[in-house]
Amino acid sequence: MSEVINTTKGPFYFILTGIPGFEASHIWISIPFCCLYTISIMGNTTILNVIRTEPSLHQPMYLFLSMLALTDLGLTLTTLPTVMQLLWFNIDKISFEACFAQFFFLHGFSFMESSVLLAMSFDRYVAICRPLHYATILTNEVIGKIGLSIICRCVLAVLPSLFLLKRLPFCHSHLLSHSYCLHQDMIHLVCGDIRFNSWYGFALVLLIIVMDPLLIVLSYAMILKSVLGVATWTERLRALNNCLSHILAVLVLYVPMVGLSMTHRFAKHGSPLVHVIMANTYLLAPPVMNPIIYSVKTKQIRQGMFRLLFQRKVH
């Protein structure tokens, strides 16, 4: 029988894994990781500063964008400590409590990203399909309630899976296959019955990974119907161009998310390197790419960044 570790008797650690087969090169691998984390932190912080300091950007679209930037910043800061300490200092142990804390914030911010993108698709729908009612529908009070609902939704989604996993005994082998604590990874180390956990995880997949993209697609179907029905070609292109940044952000999140879920479910015995690459892409792509997408595709954000940089140079 597998030896079960009793977490109540002395400290219990999970063992993190870096890049399989490239352990000797961790210090060199840390360079691109460090660059990506720096781009994410600087990019999202800059967008938040631009929106905060520019009164013209205190509009629903940009308030939702600031929520997205905060979520990306939270996702980055959640994984950065364990990833960089492993690559830089070869510290591969993480305590039981710290691992579950990271698990909570990692999945919470990931689900929050999906929820914010869903809210942004609603914003685009109202702006294009009901422009005359935009200001009365998306008031600051409504946006605040949407933000609070997103937080409550994500906390209530993640907490049960955390408590369901925490109550189960972990086997003697407590080696994780990533440099952070993912639910899909941790549940493979459990000795007990995980059927209820699996069903709850499946329900979350339906709720977040399936339902949110479907609602986003539905909103864009309605946008497309509205645009094709009344607008000229010039207006159609302008309306679709206004949605392009959001569409790219949706793809950057959901393509790696679905890829990681498929890898964990159907390629369990595949190369560990594939799992690591998919997991890192899933966690790093949105925080790194979203600031680039919105700074390149959104004129107001780009101009705000130039003004912010110019003011700093003057001072």
Side-chain angles (χ1 to χ4, degrees):
M1 285 182 64
S2 300
E3 180 187 344
V4 175
I5 293 181
N6 187 348
T7 57
T8 61
K9 295 180 180 179
F12 170 53
Y13 296 94
F14 288 105
I15 306 298
L16 302 170
T17 299
I19 311 298
F22 295 89
E23 288 81 4
S25 304
H26 272 179
I27 195 66
W28 295 107
I29 294 171
S30 71
I31 296 173
F33 272 90
C34 190
C35 291
L36 291 172
Y37 278 124
T38 303
I39 291 169
S40 173
I41 293 169
M42 291 184 64
N44 287 295
T45 303
T46 302
I47 283 181
L48 287 170
N49 281 332
V50 168
I51 294 172
R52 182 180 62 84
T53 56
E54 290 285 332
S56 62
L57 298 183
H58 295 173
Q59 301 173 26
M61 173 184 173
Y62 301 106
L63 294 177
F64 284 124
L65 179 56
S66 66
M67 290 183 196
L68 186 67
L70 277 171
T71 303
D72 284 334
L73 207 53
L75 196 58
T76 298
L77 295 176
T78 298
T79 60
L80 186 148
T82 53
V83 172
M84 296 316 296
Q85 76 177 13
L86 180 60
L87 295 177
W88 277 343
F89 309 111
N90 202 32
I91 300 173
D92 59 358
K93 286 185 178 180
I94 181 170
S95 68
F96 185 81
E97 293 77 13
C99 194
F100 274 93
Q102 187 181 51
F103 158 86
F104 172 75
F105 285 109
L106 195 158
H107 288 282
F109 281 121
S110 178
F111 292 161
M112 204 174 291
E113 180 113 5
S114 178
S115 302
V116 172
L117 288 174
L118 177 59
M120 292 175 82
S121 72
F122 174 69
D123 167 77
R124 292 297 82 208
Y125 163 75
V126 176
I128 293 172
C129 298
R130 302 186 64 184
L132 297 178
H133 302 93
Y134 185 70
T136 55
I137 293 175
L138 287 172
T139 62
N140 287 339
E141 184 182 356
V142 169
I143 293 169
K145 289 179 179 178
I146 291 173
L148 186 62
S149 300
I150 287 171
I151 294 171
C152 292
R153 180 199 193 204
C154 297
V155 170
L156 293 175
V158 177
L159 274 181
S161 60
L162 187 147
F163 289 123
L164 285 170
L165 186 60
K166 198 171 183 179
R167 70 183 175 84
L168 294 171
F170 286 85
C171 298
H172 178 63
S173 174
H174 48 285
L175 177 67
L176 297 172
S177 56
H178 300 291
S179 47
Y180 32 75
C181 301
L182 282 173
H183 178 268
Q184 304 97 306
D185 196 12
M186 296 169 68
I187 201 166
H188 292 150
L189 307 181
V190 171
C191 297
D193 185 1
I194 61 169
R195 281 179 297 178
F196 191 77
N197 299 64
S198 297
W199 278 110
Y200 184 79
F202 180 69
L204 275 187
V205 167
L206 291 178
L207 179 67
I208 307 291
I209 301 180
V210 176
M211 190 179 78
D212 283 7
L214 284 177
L215 290 174
I216 291 171
V217 169
L218 177 63
S219 70
Y220 274 104
M222 296 171 73
I223 288 171
L224 196 60
K225 181 182 177 182
S226 175
V227 168
L228 293 177
V230 297
T232 64
W233 274 108
T234 304
E235 291 171 329
R236 290 173 191 173
L237 291 173
R238 188 184 299 118
L240 294 175
N241 187 57
N242 288 336
C243 297
L244 185 58
S245 300
H246 181 253
I247 293 170
L248 291 174
V250 168
L251 292 175
V252 164
L253 174 68
Y254 288 113
V255 171
M257 182 185 284
V258 171
L260 180 64
S261 297
M262 297 291 282
T263 303
H264 273 283
R265 288 187 178 275
F266 302 112
K268 295 178 181 178
H269 304 294
S271 170
L273 189 60
V274 174
H275 289 262
V276 169
I277 291 172
M278 288 301 302
N280 283 308
T281 303
Y282 157 60
L283 293 174
L284 281 173
V288 171
M289 292 304 299
N290 285 340
I292 296 172
I293 290 169
Y294 279 96
S295 61
V296 170
K297 293 299 300 176
T298 309
K299 183 180 177 182
Q300 293 85 342
I301 294 293
R302 190 166 61 250
Q303 290 175 339
M305 285 182 172
F306 287 141
R307 278 193 288 270
L308 193 64
L309 291 171
F310 181 72
Q311 287 173 0
R312 287 181 177 177
K313 285 182 180 179
V314 171
H315 293 298

